[in-house]
PDB file of all heavy atoms in Angstrom:
ATOM      1  N   ASP A   9       0.872  -1.175   0.000  1.00  0.00           N
ATOM      2  CA  ASP A   9       0.000   0.000   0.000  1.00  0.00           C
ATOM      3  C   ASP A   9       0.907   1.222   0.000  1.00  0.00           C
ATOM      4  O   ASP A   9       1.600   1.508   0.981  1.00  0.00           O
ATOM      5  CB  ASP A   9      -0.911   0.000   1.230  1.00  0.00           C
ATOM      6  CG  ASP A   9      -1.980  -1.069   1.145  1.00  0.00           C
ATOM      7  OD1 ASP A   9      -2.018  -1.788   0.136  1.00  0.00           O
ATOM      8  OD2 ASP A   9      -2.759  -1.218   2.099  1.00  0.00           O
ATOM      9  N   LEU A  10       0.909   1.933  -1.107  1.00  0.00           N
ATOM     10  CA  LEU A  10       1.847   3.024  -1.322  1.00  0.00           C
ATOM     11  C   LEU A  10       1.128   4.367  -1.273  1.00  0.00           C
ATOM     12  O   LEU A  10       0.146   4.583  -1.989  1.00  0.00           O
ATOM     13  CB  LEU A  10       2.534   2.850  -2.683  1.00  0.00           C
ATOM     14  CG  LEU A  10       3.536   3.914  -3.116  1.00  0.00           C
ATOM     15  CD1 LEU A  10       4.766   3.888  -2.204  1.00  0.00           C
ATOM     16  CD2 LEU A  10       3.953   3.682  -4.563  1.00  0.00           C
ATOM     17  N   THR A  11       1.609   5.253  -0.422  1.00  0.00           N
ATOM     18  CA  THR A  11       1.105   6.622  -0.347  1.00  0.00           C
ATOM     19  C   THR A  11       2.263   7.569  -0.646  1.00  0.00           C
ATOM     20  O   THR A  11       3.320   7.481  -0.002  1.00  0.00           O
ATOM     21  CB  THR A  11       0.532   6.943   1.043  1.00  0.00           C
ATOM     22  OG1 THR A  11      -0.485   5.983   1.367  1.00  0.00           O
ATOM     23  CG2 THR A  11      -0.068   8.333   1.079  1.00  0.00           C
ATOM     24  N   VAL A  12       2.075   8.451  -1.615  1.00  0.00           N
ATOM     25  CA  VAL A  12       3.143   9.358  -2.055  1.00  0.00           C
ATOM     26  C   VAL A  12       2.648  10.793  -1.974  1.00  0.00           C
ATOM     27  O   VAL A  12       1.513  11.100  -2.357  1.00  0.00           O
ATOM     28  CB  VAL A  12       3.597   9.030  -3.499  1.00  0.00           C
ATOM     29  CG1 VAL A  12       4.692   9.997  -3.947  1.00  0.00           C
ATOM     30  CG2 VAL A  12       4.091   7.596  -3.593  1.00  0.00           C
ATOM     31  N   TYR A  13       3.516  11.650  -1.486  1.00  0.00           N
ATOM     32  CA  TYR A  13       3.267  13.088  -1.455  1.00  0.00           C
ATOM     33  C   TYR A  13       4.313  13.762  -2.347  1.00  0.00           C
ATOM     34  O   TYR A  13       5.516  13.601  -2.122  1.00  0.00           O
ATOM     35  CB  TYR A  13       3.380  13.634  -0.030  1.00  0.00           C
ATOM     36  CG  TYR A  13       2.385  13.043   0.934  1.00  0.00           C
ATOM     37  CD1 TYR A  13       2.663  11.849   1.608  1.00  0.00           C
ATOM     38  CD2 TYR A  13       1.171  13.666   1.188  1.00  0.00           C
ATOM     39  CE1 TYR A  13       1.755  11.301   2.496  1.00  0.00           C
ATOM     40  CE2 TYR A  13       0.254  13.128   2.071  1.00  0.00           C
ATOM     41  CZ  TYR A  13       0.555  11.940   2.725  1.00  0.00           C
ATOM     42  OH  TYR A  13      -0.348  11.390   3.603  1.00  0.00           O
ATOM     43  N   VAL A  14       3.865  14.501  -3.351  1.00  0.00           N
ATOM     44  CA  VAL A  14       4.763  15.132  -4.307  1.00  0.00           C
ATOM     45  C   VAL A  14       4.560  16.643  -4.258  1.00  0.00           C
ATOM     46  O   VAL A  14       3.430  17.128  -4.352  1.00  0.00           O
ATOM     47  CB  VAL A  14       4.505  14.631  -5.743  1.00  0.00           C
ATOM     48  CG1 VAL A  14       5.514  15.246  -6.713  1.00  0.00           C
ATOM     49  CG2 VAL A  14       4.570  13.110  -5.800  1.00  0.00           C
ATOM     50  N   ARG A  15       5.661  17.383  -4.126  1.00  0.00           N
ATOM     51  CA  ARG A  15       5.567  18.830  -4.036  1.00  0.00           C
ATOM     52  C   ARG A  15       5.138  19.437  -5.366  1.00  0.00           C
ATOM     53  O   ARG A  15       5.676  19.098  -6.416  1.00  0.00           O
ATOM     54  CB  ARG A  15       6.907  19.427  -3.604  1.00  0.00           C
ATOM     55  CG  ARG A  15       6.840  20.932  -3.341  1.00  0.00           C
ATOM     56  CD  ARG A  15       8.058  21.467  -2.640  1.00  0.00           C
ATOM     57  NE  ARG A  15       9.253  21.337  -3.454  1.00  0.00           N
ATOM     58  CZ  ARG A  15      10.455  21.756  -3.072  1.00  0.00           C
ATOM     59  NH1 ARG A  15      10.604  22.299  -1.866  1.00  0.00           N
ATOM     60  NH2 ARG A  15      11.496  21.614  -3.865  1.00  0.00           N
ATOM     61  N   ASP A  16       4.170  20.340  -5.299  1.00  0.00           N
ATOM     62  CA  ASP A  16       3.703  21.060  -6.484  1.00  0.00           C
ATOM     63  C   ASP A  16       4.724  22.153  -6.819  1.00  0.00           C
ATOM     64  O   ASP A  16       5.279  22.794  -5.921  1.00  0.00           O
ATOM     65  CB  ASP A  16       2.341  21.673  -6.183  1.00  0.00           C
ATOM     66  CG  ASP A  16       1.707  22.325  -7.407  1.00  0.00           C
ATOM     67  OD1 ASP A  16       2.308  22.262  -8.495  1.00  0.00           O
ATOM     68  OD2 ASP A  16       0.630  22.909  -7.253  1.00  0.00           O
ATOM     69  N   SER A  17       4.969  22.337  -8.099  1.00  0.00           N
ATOM     70  CA  SER A  17       5.924  23.357  -8.520  1.00  0.00           C
ATOM     71  C   SER A  17       5.406  24.763  -8.266  1.00  0.00           C
ATOM     72  O   SER A  17       6.168  25.726  -8.205  1.00  0.00           O
ATOM     73  CB  SER A  17       6.262  23.203 -10.006  1.00  0.00           C
ATOM     74  OG  SER A  17       5.085  23.268 -10.791  1.00  0.00           O
ATOM     75  N   GLY A  18       4.086  24.879  -8.116  1.00  0.00           N
ATOM     76  CA  GLY A  18       3.496  26.179  -7.824  1.00  0.00           C
ATOM     77  C   GLY A  18       3.379  26.406  -6.323  1.00  0.00           C
ATOM     78  O   GLY A  18       3.978  25.708  -5.512  1.00  0.00           O
ATOM     79  N   ALA A  19       2.599  27.378  -5.950  1.00  0.00           N
ATOM     80  CA  ALA A  19       2.407  27.688  -4.530  1.00  0.00           C
ATOM     81  C   ALA A  19       0.982  28.170  -4.324  1.00  0.00           C
ATOM     82  O   ALA A  19       0.305  28.620  -5.251  1.00  0.00           O
ATOM     83  CB  ALA A  19       3.392  28.755  -4.066  1.00  0.00           C
ATOM     84  N   SER A  20       0.527  28.085  -3.100  1.00  0.00           N
ATOM     85  CA  SER A  20      -0.821  28.552  -2.784  1.00  0.00           C
ATOM     86  C   SER A  20      -0.845  30.072  -2.734  1.00  0.00           C
ATOM     87  O   SER A  20       0.190  30.743  -2.798  1.00  0.00           O
ATOM     88  CB  SER A  20      -1.258  27.967  -1.440  1.00  0.00           C
ATOM     89  OG  SER A  20      -0.443  28.480  -0.399  1.00  0.00           O
ATOM     90  N   SER A  21      -2.028  30.622  -2.605  1.00  0.00           N
ATOM     91  CA  SER A  21      -2.180  32.077  -2.595  1.00  0.00           C
ATOM     92  C   SER A  21      -1.472  32.729  -1.415  1.00  0.00           C
ATOM     93  O   SER A  21      -1.063  33.889  -1.478  1.00  0.00           O
ATOM     94  CB  SER A  21      -3.663  32.445  -2.572  1.00  0.00           C
ATOM     95  OG  SER A  21      -4.300  31.872  -1.439  1.00  0.00           O
ATOM     96  N   ASP A  22      -1.290  31.976  -0.324  1.00  0.00           N
ATOM     97  CA  ASP A  22      -0.607  32.545   0.843  1.00  0.00           C
ATOM     98  C   ASP A  22       0.885  32.212   0.852  1.00  0.00           C
ATOM     99  O   ASP A  22       1.571  32.446   1.849  1.00  0.00           O
ATOM    100  CB  ASP A  22      -1.267  32.068   2.143  1.00  0.00           C
ATOM    101  CG  ASP A  22      -1.268  30.550   2.267  1.00  0.00           C
ATOM    102  OD1 ASP A  22      -0.699  29.866   1.387  1.00  0.00           O
ATOM    103  OD2 ASP A  22      -1.839  30.049   3.244  1.00  0.00           O
ATOM    104  N   GLY A  23       1.380  31.652  -0.268  1.00  0.00           N
ATOM    105  CA  GLY A  23       2.812  31.397  -0.383  1.00  0.00           C
ATOM    106  C   GLY A  23       3.282  30.085   0.201  1.00  0.00           C
ATOM    107  O   GLY A  23       4.477  29.765   0.147  1.00  0.00           O
ATOM    108  N   LYS A  24       2.380  29.297   0.757  1.00  0.00           N
ATOM    109  CA  LYS A  24       2.770  28.023   1.341  1.00  0.00           C
ATOM    110  C   LYS A  24       2.944  26.960   0.253  1.00  0.00           C
ATOM    111  O   LYS A  24       2.303  27.025  -0.791  1.00  0.00           O
ATOM    112  CB  LYS A  24       1.719  27.564   2.353  1.00  0.00           C
ATOM    113  CG  LYS A  24       1.624  28.441   3.585  1.00  0.00           C
ATOM    114  CD  LYS A  24       0.606  27.886   4.566  1.00  0.00           C
ATOM    115  CE  LYS A  24       0.515  28.749   5.805  1.00  0.00           C
ATOM    116  NZ  LYS A  24      -0.479  28.218   6.783  1.00  0.00           N
ATOM    117  N   GLU A  25       3.824  25.984   0.520  1.00  0.00           N
ATOM    118  CA  GLU A  25       4.049  24.906  -0.440  1.00  0.00           C
ATOM    119  C   GLU A  25       2.840  23.980  -0.487  1.00  0.00           C
ATOM    120  O   GLU A  25       2.193  23.723   0.541  1.00  0.00           O
ATOM    121  CB  GLU A  25       5.300  24.105  -0.072  1.00  0.00           C
ATOM    122  CG  GLU A  25       6.598  24.877  -0.257  1.00  0.00           C
ATOM    123  CD  GLU A  25       7.809  24.019   0.053  1.00  0.00           C
ATOM    124  OE1 GLU A  25       7.666  23.062   0.849  1.00  0.00           O
ATOM    125  OE2 GLU A  25       8.880  24.295  -0.505  1.00  0.00           O
ATOM    126  N   LEU A  26       2.554  23.487  -1.690  1.00  0.00           N
ATOM    127  CA  LEU A  26       1.455  22.547  -1.883  1.00  0.00           C
ATOM    128  C   LEU A  26       2.004  21.181  -2.280  1.00  0.00           C
ATOM    129  O   LEU A  26       3.034  21.089  -2.960  1.00  0.00           O
ATOM    130  CB  LEU A  26       0.514  23.060  -2.976  1.00  0.00           C
ATOM    131  CG  LEU A  26      -0.197  24.383  -2.711  1.00  0.00           C
ATOM    132  CD1 LEU A  26      -1.023  24.775  -3.928  1.00  0.00           C
ATOM    133  CD2 LEU A  26      -1.076  24.290  -1.467  1.00  0.00           C
ATOM    134  N   TYR A  27       1.317  20.127  -1.862  1.00  0.00           N
ATOM    135  CA  TYR A  27       1.717  18.768  -2.193  1.00  0.00           C
ATOM    136  C   TYR A  27       0.526  18.004  -2.759  1.00  0.00           C
ATOM    137  O   TYR A  27      -0.595  18.150  -2.285  1.00  0.00           O
ATOM    138  CB  TYR A  27       2.249  18.035  -0.952  1.00  0.00           C
ATOM    139  CG  TYR A  27       3.632  18.478  -0.523  1.00  0.00           C
ATOM    140  CD1 TYR A  27       3.803  19.644   0.215  1.00  0.00           C
ATOM    141  CD2 TYR A  27       4.758  17.745  -0.856  1.00  0.00           C
ATOM    142  CE1 TYR A  27       5.054  20.070   0.613  1.00  0.00           C
ATOM    143  CE2 TYR A  27       6.023  18.154  -0.457  1.00  0.00           C
ATOM    144  CZ  TYR A  27       6.161  19.313   0.273  1.00  0.00           C
ATOM    145  OH  TYR A  27       7.416  19.731   0.647  1.00  0.00           O
ATOM    146  N   PHE A  28       0.807  17.205  -3.794  1.00  0.00           N
ATOM    147  CA  PHE A  28      -0.190  16.272  -4.295  1.00  0.00           C
ATOM    148  C   PHE A  28      -0.043  14.963  -3.523  1.00  0.00           C
ATOM    149  O   PHE A  28       1.071  14.512  -3.258  1.00  0.00           O
ATOM    150  CB  PHE A  28       0.025  16.004  -5.787  1.00  0.00           C
ATOM    151  CG  PHE A  28      -0.228  17.191  -6.664  1.00  0.00           C
ATOM    152  CD1 PHE A  28       0.827  17.860  -7.262  1.00  0.00           C
ATOM    153  CD2 PHE A  28      -1.515  17.634  -6.906  1.00  0.00           C
ATOM    154  CE1 PHE A  28       0.600  18.955  -8.077  1.00  0.00           C
ATOM    155  CE2 PHE A  28      -1.752  18.727  -7.721  1.00  0.00           C
ATOM    156  CZ  PHE A  28      -0.683  19.383  -8.311  1.00  0.00           C
ATOM    157  N   ARG A  29      -1.158  14.347  -3.192  1.00  0.00           N
ATOM    158  CA  ARG A  29      -1.145  13.056  -2.510  1.00  0.00           C
ATOM    159  C   ARG A  29      -1.852  12.034  -3.382  1.00  0.00           C
ATOM    160  O   ARG A  29      -2.932  12.294  -3.892  1.00  0.00           O
ATOM    161  CB  ARG A  29      -1.850  13.146  -1.166  1.00  0.00           C
ATOM    162  CG  ARG A  29      -1.972  11.834  -0.395  1.00  0.00           C
ATOM    163  CD  ARG A  29      -2.730  12.082   0.915  1.00  0.00           C
ATOM    164  NE  ARG A  29      -2.819  10.896   1.737  1.00  0.00           N
ATOM    165  CZ  ARG A  29      -3.782   9.994   1.669  1.00  0.00           C
ATOM    166  NH1 ARG A  29      -4.754  10.148   0.755  1.00  0.00           N
ATOM    167  NH2 ARG A  29      -3.797   8.946   2.464  1.00  0.00           N
ATOM    168  N   PHE A  30      -1.225  10.873  -3.582  1.00  0.00           N
ATOM    169  CA  PHE A  30      -1.912   9.805  -4.304  1.00  0.00           C
ATOM    170  C   PHE A  30      -1.563   8.459  -3.690  1.00  0.00           C
ATOM    171  O   PHE A  30      -0.555   8.318  -2.998  1.00  0.00           O
ATOM    172  CB  PHE A  30      -1.572   9.823  -5.803  1.00  0.00           C
ATOM    173  CG  PHE A  30      -0.125   9.602  -6.140  1.00  0.00           C
ATOM    174  CD1 PHE A  30       0.392   8.317  -6.259  1.00  0.00           C
ATOM    175  CD2 PHE A  30       0.725  10.673  -6.348  1.00  0.00           C
ATOM    176  CE1 PHE A  30       1.725   8.107  -6.580  1.00  0.00           C
ATOM    177  CE2 PHE A  30       2.067  10.474  -6.676  1.00  0.00           C
ATOM    178  CZ  PHE A  30       2.556   9.191  -6.792  1.00  0.00           C
ATOM    179  N   GLU A  31      -2.420   7.497  -3.936  1.00  0.00           N
ATOM    180  CA  GLU A  31      -2.253   6.159  -3.374  1.00  0.00           C
ATOM    181  C   GLU A  31      -2.303   5.122  -4.484  1.00  0.00           C
ATOM    182  O   GLU A  31      -3.022   5.291  -5.478  1.00  0.00           O
ATOM    183  CB  GLU A  31      -3.357   5.852  -2.355  1.00  0.00           C
ATOM    184  CG  GLU A  31      -3.361   6.757  -1.141  1.00  0.00           C
ATOM    185  CD  GLU A  31      -4.504   6.427  -0.203  1.00  0.00           C
ATOM    186  OE1 GLU A  31      -5.450   5.740  -0.649  1.00  0.00           O
ATOM    187  OE2 GLU A  31      -4.456   6.841   0.966  1.00  0.00           O
ATOM    188  N   GLU A  32      -1.540   4.065  -4.326  1.00  0.00           N
ATOM    189  CA  GLU A  32      -1.592   2.915  -5.227  1.00  0.00           C
ATOM    190  C   GLU A  32      -1.438   1.645  -4.406  1.00  0.00           C
ATOM    191  O   GLU A  32      -0.818   1.654  -3.341  1.00  0.00           O
ATOM    192  CB  GLU A  32      -0.477   2.974  -6.286  1.00  0.00           C
ATOM    193  CG  GLU A  32      -0.692   4.022  -7.346  1.00  0.00           C
ATOM    194  CD  GLU A  32       0.332   3.929  -8.470  1.00  0.00           C
ATOM    195  OE1 GLU A  32       1.136   2.971  -8.493  1.00  0.00           O
ATOM    196  OE2 GLU A  32       0.317   4.814  -9.336  1.00  0.00           O
ATOM    197  N   ILE A  33      -2.012   0.572  -4.928  1.00  0.00           N
ATOM    198  CA  ILE A  33      -1.845  -0.745  -4.309  1.00  0.00           C
ATOM    199  C   ILE A  33      -1.148  -1.657  -5.314  1.00  0.00           C
ATOM    200  O   ILE A  33      -1.598  -1.779  -6.459  1.00  0.00           O
ATOM    201  CB  ILE A  33      -3.198  -1.351  -3.891  1.00  0.00           C
ATOM    202  CG1 ILE A  33      -3.836  -0.493  -2.789  1.00  0.00           C
ATOM    203  CG2 ILE A  33      -3.012  -2.786  -3.410  1.00  0.00           C
ATOM    204  CD1 ILE A  33      -5.235  -0.951  -2.399  1.00  0.00           C
ATOM    205  N   HIS A  34      -0.051  -2.255  -4.902  1.00  0.00           N
ATOM    206  CA  HIS A  34       0.688  -3.196  -5.740  1.00  0.00           C
ATOM    207  C   HIS A  34       0.646  -4.564  -5.073  1.00  0.00           C
ATOM    208  O   HIS A  34       0.833  -4.660  -3.854  1.00  0.00           O
ATOM    209  CB  HIS A  34       2.150  -2.762  -5.891  1.00  0.00           C
ATOM    210  CG  HIS A  34       2.338  -1.473  -6.614  1.00  0.00           C
ATOM    211  ND1 HIS A  34       3.082  -1.361  -7.763  1.00  0.00           N
ATOM    212  CD2 HIS A  34       1.871  -0.218  -6.364  1.00  0.00           C
ATOM    213  CE1 HIS A  34       3.075  -0.116  -8.180  1.00  0.00           C
ATOM    214  NE2 HIS A  34       2.347   0.599  -7.341  1.00  0.00           N
ATOM    215  N   ILE A  35       0.408  -5.604  -5.850  1.00  0.00           N
ATOM    216  CA  ILE A  35       0.389  -6.963  -5.318  1.00  0.00           C
ATOM    217  C   ILE A  35       1.371  -7.816  -6.101  1.00  0.00           C
ATOM    218  O   ILE A  35       1.353  -7.831  -7.335  1.00  0.00           O
ATOM    219  CB  ILE A  35      -1.024  -7.577  -5.386  1.00  0.00           C
ATOM    220  CG1 ILE A  35      -2.007  -6.735  -4.565  1.00  0.00           C
ATOM    221  CG2 ILE A  35      -1.002  -9.018  -4.873  1.00  0.00           C
ATOM    222  CD1 ILE A  35      -3.445  -7.228  -4.640  1.00  0.00           C
ATOM    223  N   GLN A  36       2.233  -8.502  -5.370  1.00  0.00           N
ATOM    224  CA  GLN A  36       3.203  -9.409  -5.968  1.00  0.00           C
ATOM    225  C   GLN A  36       3.133 -10.761  -5.261  1.00  0.00           C
ATOM    226  O   GLN A  36       2.707 -10.847  -4.111  1.00  0.00           O
ATOM    227  CB  GLN A  36       4.621  -8.855  -5.870  1.00  0.00           C
ATOM    228  CG  GLN A  36       4.875  -7.614  -6.695  1.00  0.00           C
ATOM    229  CD  GLN A  36       6.329  -7.172  -6.644  1.00  0.00           C
ATOM    230  OE1 GLN A  36       6.976  -7.221  -5.605  1.00  0.00           O
ATOM    231  NE2 GLN A  36       6.845  -6.737  -7.786  1.00  0.00           N
ATOM    232  N   ARG A  37       3.582 -11.773  -5.966  1.00  0.00           N
ATOM    233  CA  ARG A  37       3.629 -13.113  -5.377  1.00  0.00           C
ATOM    234  C   ARG A  37       5.074 -13.561  -5.262  1.00  0.00           C
ATOM    235  O   ARG A  37       5.867 -13.398  -6.188  1.00  0.00           O
ATOM    236  CB  ARG A  37       2.853 -14.107  -6.236  1.00  0.00           C
ATOM    237  CG  ARG A  37       2.966 -15.564  -5.748  1.00  0.00           C
ATOM    238  CD  ARG A  37       2.222 -16.514  -6.647  1.00  0.00           C
ATOM    239  NE  ARG A  37       2.570 -17.904  -6.368  1.00  0.00           N
ATOM    240  CZ  ARG A  37       2.192 -18.936  -7.102  1.00  0.00           C
ATOM    241  NH1 ARG A  37       1.434 -18.746  -8.177  1.00  0.00           N
ATOM    242  NH2 ARG A  37       2.557 -20.168  -6.796  1.00  0.00           N
ATOM    243  N   GLY A  38       5.419 -14.118  -4.129  1.00  0.00           N
ATOM    244  CA  GLY A  38       6.744 -14.676  -3.942  1.00  0.00           C
ATOM    245  C   GLY A  38       6.810 -16.093  -4.487  1.00  0.00           C
ATOM    246  O   GLY A  38       5.891 -16.890  -4.275  1.00  0.00           O
ATOM    247  N   TYR A  39       7.885 -16.396  -5.193  1.00  0.00           N
ATOM    248  CA  TYR A  39       8.075 -17.724  -5.770  1.00  0.00           C
ATOM    249  C   TYR A  39       9.337 -18.376  -5.207  1.00  0.00           C
ATOM    250  O   TYR A  39      10.253 -17.691  -4.744  1.00  0.00           O
ATOM    251  CB  TYR A  39       8.188 -17.644  -7.300  1.00  0.00           C
ATOM    252  CG  TYR A  39       6.894 -17.302  -7.992  1.00  0.00           C
ATOM    253  CD1 TYR A  39       6.572 -15.990  -8.303  1.00  0.00           C
ATOM    254  CD2 TYR A  39       5.977 -18.302  -8.325  1.00  0.00           C
ATOM    255  CE1 TYR A  39       5.379 -15.670  -8.932  1.00  0.00           C
ATOM    256  CE2 TYR A  39       4.777 -17.992  -8.949  1.00  0.00           C
ATOM    257  CZ  TYR A  39       4.484 -16.676  -9.252  1.00  0.00           C
ATOM    258  OH  TYR A  39       3.298 -16.368  -9.872  1.00  0.00           O
ATOM    259  N   THR A  40       9.366 -19.684  -5.271  1.00  0.00           N
ATOM    260  CA  THR A  40      10.581 -20.422  -4.938  1.00  0.00           C
ATOM    261  C   THR A  40      11.281 -20.810  -6.237  1.00  0.00           C
ATOM    262  O   THR A  40      10.671 -20.833  -7.316  1.00  0.00           O
ATOM    263  CB  THR A  40      10.263 -21.696  -4.142  1.00  0.00           C
ATOM    264  OG1 THR A  40       9.529 -22.610  -4.982  1.00  0.00           O
ATOM    265  CG2 THR A  40       9.439 -21.366  -2.897  1.00  0.00           C
ATOM    266  N   LEU A  41      12.550 -21.139  -6.120  1.00  0.00           N
ATOM    267  CA  LEU A  41      13.300 -21.552  -7.310  1.00  0.00           C
ATOM    268  C   LEU A  41      12.714 -22.828  -7.892  1.00  0.00           C
ATOM    269  O   LEU A  41      12.646 -22.981  -9.128  1.00  0.00           O
ATOM    270  CB  LEU A  41      14.778 -21.758  -6.954  1.00  0.00           C
ATOM    271  CG  LEU A  41      15.685 -22.208  -8.105  1.00  0.00           C
ATOM    272  CD1 LEU A  41      15.611 -21.262  -9.289  1.00  0.00           C
ATOM    273  CD2 LEU A  41      17.121 -22.363  -7.613  1.00  0.00           C
ATOM    274  N   GLU A  42      12.282 -23.745  -7.053  1.00  0.00           N
ATOM    275  CA  GLU A  42      11.699 -24.988  -7.564  1.00  0.00           C
ATOM    276  C   GLU A  42      10.433 -24.724  -8.359  1.00  0.00           C
ATOM    277  O   GLU A  42      10.183 -25.379  -9.380  1.00  0.00           O
ATOM    278  CB  GLU A  42      11.419 -25.957  -6.396  1.00  0.00           C
ATOM    279  CG  GLU A  42      12.676 -26.507  -5.741  1.00  0.00           C
ATOM    280  CD  GLU A  42      13.641 -27.119  -6.760  1.00  0.00           C
ATOM    281  OE1 GLU A  42      13.173 -27.912  -7.608  1.00  0.00           O
ATOM    282  OE2 GLU A  42      14.834 -26.790  -6.706  1.00  0.00           O
ATOM    283  N   GLU A  43       9.622 -23.778  -7.910  1.00  0.00           N
ATOM    284  CA  GLU A  43       8.421 -23.421  -8.669  1.00  0.00           C
ATOM    285  C   GLU A  43       8.802 -22.854 -10.030  1.00  0.00           C
ATOM    286  O   GLU A  43       8.181 -23.188 -11.055  1.00  0.00           O
ATOM    287  CB  GLU A  43       7.600 -22.401  -7.880  1.00  0.00           C
ATOM    288  CG  GLU A  43       6.876 -22.988  -6.678  1.00  0.00           C
ATOM    289  CD  GLU A  43       6.199 -21.927  -5.838  1.00  0.00           C
ATOM    290  OE1 GLU A  43       6.755 -20.820  -5.687  1.00  0.00           O
ATOM    291  OE2 GLU A  43       5.087 -22.213  -5.326  1.00  0.00           O
ATOM    292  N   MET A  44       9.816 -22.007 -10.071  1.00  0.00           N
ATOM    293  CA  MET A  44      10.244 -21.434 -11.339  1.00  0.00           C
ATOM    294  C   MET A  44      10.809 -22.503 -12.276  1.00  0.00           C
ATOM    295  O   MET A  44      10.526 -22.490 -13.482  1.00  0.00           O
ATOM    296  CB  MET A  44      11.294 -20.343 -11.100  1.00  0.00           C
ATOM    297  CG  MET A  44      10.714 -19.044 -10.592  1.00  0.00           C
ATOM    298  SD  MET A  44       9.552 -18.313 -11.799  1.00  0.00           S
ATOM    299  CE  MET A  44       9.201 -16.752 -10.997  1.00  0.00           C
ATOM    300  N   LYS A  45      11.573 -23.419 -11.755  1.00  0.00           N
ATOM    301  CA  LYS A  45      12.114 -24.504 -12.583  1.00  0.00           C
ATOM    302  C   LYS A  45      10.986 -25.314 -13.209  1.00  0.00           C
ATOM    303  O   LYS A  45      11.037 -25.684 -14.389  1.00  0.00           O
ATOM    304  CB  LYS A  45      13.013 -25.424 -11.740  1.00  0.00           C
ATOM    305  CG  LYS A  45      14.363 -24.840 -11.385  1.00  0.00           C
ATOM    306  CD  LYS A  45      15.172 -25.865 -10.576  1.00  0.00           C
ATOM    307  CE  LYS A  45      16.557 -25.386 -10.259  1.00  0.00           C
ATOM    308  NZ  LYS A  45      17.333 -26.386  -9.474  1.00  0.00           N
ATOM    309  N   ARG A  46       9.962 -25.606 -12.407  1.00  0.00           N
ATOM    310  CA  ARG A  46       8.831 -26.390 -12.904  1.00  0.00           C
ATOM    311  C   ARG A  46       8.099 -25.649 -14.017  1.00  0.00           C
ATOM    312  O   ARG A  46       7.743 -26.238 -15.047  1.00  0.00           O
ATOM    313  CB  ARG A  46       7.881 -26.697 -11.741  1.00  0.00           C
ATOM    314  CG  ARG A  46       6.566 -27.353 -12.163  1.00  0.00           C
ATOM    315  CD  ARG A  46       5.724 -27.734 -10.962  1.00  0.00           C
ATOM    316  NE  ARG A  46       5.470 -26.632 -10.075  1.00  0.00           N
ATOM    317  CZ  ARG A  46       4.544 -25.700 -10.279  1.00  0.00           C
ATOM    318  NH1 ARG A  46       3.779 -25.740 -11.361  1.00  0.00           N
ATOM    319  NH2 ARG A  46       4.356 -24.723  -9.390  1.00  0.00           N
ATOM    320  N   LEU A  47       7.909 -24.347 -13.835  1.00  0.00           N
ATOM    321  CA  LEU A  47       7.199 -23.557 -14.835  1.00  0.00           C
ATOM    322  C   LEU A  47       8.031 -23.372 -16.103  1.00  0.00           C
ATOM    323  O   LEU A  47       7.497 -23.368 -17.216  1.00  0.00           O
ATOM    324  CB  LEU A  47       6.820 -22.198 -14.241  1.00  0.00           C
ATOM    325  CG  LEU A  47       5.711 -22.256 -13.185  1.00  0.00           C
ATOM    326  CD1 LEU A  47       5.685 -20.995 -12.336  1.00  0.00           C
ATOM    327  CD2 LEU A  47       4.355 -22.477 -13.851  1.00  0.00           C
ATOM    328  N   ILE A  48       9.316 -23.240 -15.955  1.00  0.00           N
ATOM    329  CA  ILE A  48      10.216 -23.139 -17.115  1.00  0.00           C
ATOM    330  C   ILE A  48      10.121 -24.413 -17.953  1.00  0.00           C
ATOM    331  O   ILE A  48       9.951 -24.370 -19.176  1.00  0.00           O
ATOM    332  CB  ILE A  48      11.666 -22.887 -16.652  1.00  0.00           C
ATOM    333  CG1 ILE A  48      11.825 -21.448 -16.147  1.00  0.00           C
ATOM    334  CG2 ILE A  48      12.658 -23.162 -17.777  1.00  0.00           C
ATOM    335  CD1 ILE A  48      13.143 -21.188 -15.442  1.00  0.00           C
TER     336      ILE A  48
END
């Protein structure tokens, strides 16, 4: 579960820095060498 905050190149009306926030979900599966050999 990835949450990233990236600074905006612009600024707000009061001069404060702005950040974009976005989220992504990545799913991976762990394999063993024996499983890979079998699939190969």
Side-chain angles (χ1 to χ4, degrees):
D9 289 359
L10 179 67
T11 304
V12 179
Y13 298 86
V14 183
R15 186 168 64 179
D16 186 2
S17 57
S20 65
S21 58
D22 58 4
K24 293 183 179 180
E25 291 183 334
L26 297 177
Y27 286 80
F28 293 107
R29 177 181 183 271
F30 62 85
E31 297 178 343
E32 288 187 7
I33 295 175
H34 295 239
I35 300 177
Q36 293 184 320
R37 175 182 167 188
Y39 289 93
T40 66
L41 179 55
E42 291 308 312
E43 287 174 323
M44 284 298 186
K45 286 181 177 180
R46 172 175 55 80
L47 289 162
I48 287 169

